[in-house]
Every structure is written in structure tokens, then in C-alpha cells.
Amino acid sequence: MVMQVRAAHTRQALVVAAAEVFADEGYVRASLPLICKRAGVSTGALHFHFASKDALAREVEGAAVDVAEKLVQRCRASTALESMVDATSALVLAMASDPVVRAGFRLSGDPSRKGGAELFQWWHGAVRELVTRARDAGELAQDVSPEDAAAVIMAATVGFETLAGWDEKWLSAERAERFWAFVLPRLAASPELIPDGASPGAGEGPP
């Protein structure tokens, strides 16, 4: 039992350390020795749990999906549009504070990996589900398709993470609020459906 607990702790330490390294360095530049050093374990211990760097990356991406899914589940609001605003904002803040989520997005968008993009695929599905709910509930403007709305939201979310590599301020509640203040008037069927804090003029100030 003690050995099982120790093995679980070692595995978790490796996942967290790998997430930190993947988030900072990207997949190609991340090395297994650096991950081991960050986790405080031997290379042998790493290979006991993960056969390769790719296997470790898949584990990190899967952990990121789990965290993101729980975030979205906690953001269920009275309307689908409000749920979308809350979920997107929560995810942007999680990218800033949780290396697992940040690494998941960076790994998903890494062209050097084959068969990745698990987090991208999950988030795109979650966004499509919410905008479809909004359409069915009459919350979307008549000339807005769920596909177009999902594409804009998906591109913006991924863009926030990419731009944060240049300036961490992109991953902030203010950025998310200003994005929605700009986009929601185009998406919403009526002004009454725009949540507080996401109305035109919210978050005004220098970029």
C-alpha cells in the first residue's frame, strides 16, 4: 500500500513537472532530464511510469482536459450565452494560474506532435454544444450560425494562450471581459441576453 501511494505521488509529480516544462519550453525543447530534475525523481522512475516523452505529453493533455471540463461544468448559468462567457473567462484565468491547463493548450497546438490536439478538440466540442444550446433557446441573433460563433470563440481562446507567450497580460479577466464586450452584441439576439460585465463599454481603457 505504501509503495502504491509513493508511486501515485511520483506519477503526479512527473505530470506537474512536465506540464511546467511543456508550458515554458514547448514540446520539442522539453527534455526528459529537465522534467526529472523539476520533479525530483530519477530517469528510471520516469520510464517506469511513461514509456516516452510523447506518452507523458498525452498524460498532461488528458489532465488538462479533465481540469477544463470541471471548470466548464461549474460555469452552468441561467442562459447558454452566460455559461459561455463564464466558461471562457474561467479557462483564460486557468491558463494563467494552472500549468497543466496552459501546457495542454500549448501541446494541442504544437505542430511537431502527431495525433495531439486533444484539448483543442474537447474545447471546440464544448463551445459548439453551448452555442447550439444558445441557438435552440433563441439566444443567438438570427443571422449568426453556431459554426461561425464557435470558430470565433475557439480562435480567440487559443489566441489568448499564444499571445501570452509575448505578454502574460493576455491571460487576464480584463482581456476576457473586453473580448466578450466586443463580441456579444453581435452574437446575442437581444441586449437583455448580454450578462453584466460583458456589455458594450465594459473594460474600457488602454489595451
Side-chain angles (χ1 to χ4, degrees):
M1 181 65 180
V2 174
M3 292 197 62
Q4 290 177 341
V5 172
R6 185 180 302 167
H9 286 168
T10 298
R11 186 180 182 89
Q12 181 61 24
L14 283 166
V15 171
V16 172
E20 293 172 351
V21 175
F22 287 138
D24 292 342
E25 304 293 337
Y27 180 75
V28 172
R29 294 179 59 187
S31 69
L32 294 183
L34 179 57
I35 292 170
C36 289
K37 183 178 180 180
R38 184 77 63 94
V41 304
S42 67
T43 304
L46 184 150
H47 285 295
F48 174 81
H49 292 279
F50 302 101
S52 64
K53 184 168 74 170
D54 184 61
L56 185 51
R58 288 198 303 270
E59 183 78 8
V60 170
E61 207 175 355
V65 171
D66 290 342
V67 173
E69 189 168 19
K70 290 174 183 176
L71 281 175
V72 171
Q73 288 298 325
R74 290 200 295 267
C75 292
R76 296 289 178 176
S78 56
T79 68
L81 283 180
E82 187 174 358
S83 297
M84 176 58 68
V85 171
D86 291 347
T88 306
S89 300
L91 200 56
V92 167
L93 293 179
M95 289 182 206
S97 62
D98 190 332
V100 172
V101 175
R102 180 78 176 271
F105 271 91
R106 187 160 187 184
L107 288 168
S108 283
D110 195 319
S112 67
R113 295 180 63 228
K114 294 181 179 180
E118 181 181 354
L119 186 53
F120 279 6
Q121 292 170 6
W122 173 82
W123 176 235
H124 189 236
V127 170
R128 283 180 58 85
E129 188 268 334
L130 282 169
V131 293
T132 299
R133 274 179 48 204
R135 180 201 59 191
D136 294 345
E139 298 173 28
L140 281 188
Q142 290 186 354
D143 60 343
V144 173
S145 72
E147 291 77 13
D148 290 344
V152 169
I153 296 165
M154 181 71 182
T157 311
V158 174
F160 287 148
E161 191 282 324
T162 301
L163 288 165
W166 161 61
D167 183 350
E168 292 183 355
K169 291 180 181 178
W170 282 95
L171 298 181
S172 67
E174 180 187 3
R175 288 289 186 185
E177 288 172 3
R178 292 175 67 182
F179 165 74
W180 281 113
F182 183 79
V183 171
L184 264 182
R186 176 69 180 87
L187 298 184
S190 67
E192 290 76 17
L193 290 167
I194 299 177
D196 293 338
S199 57
E204 287 184 348

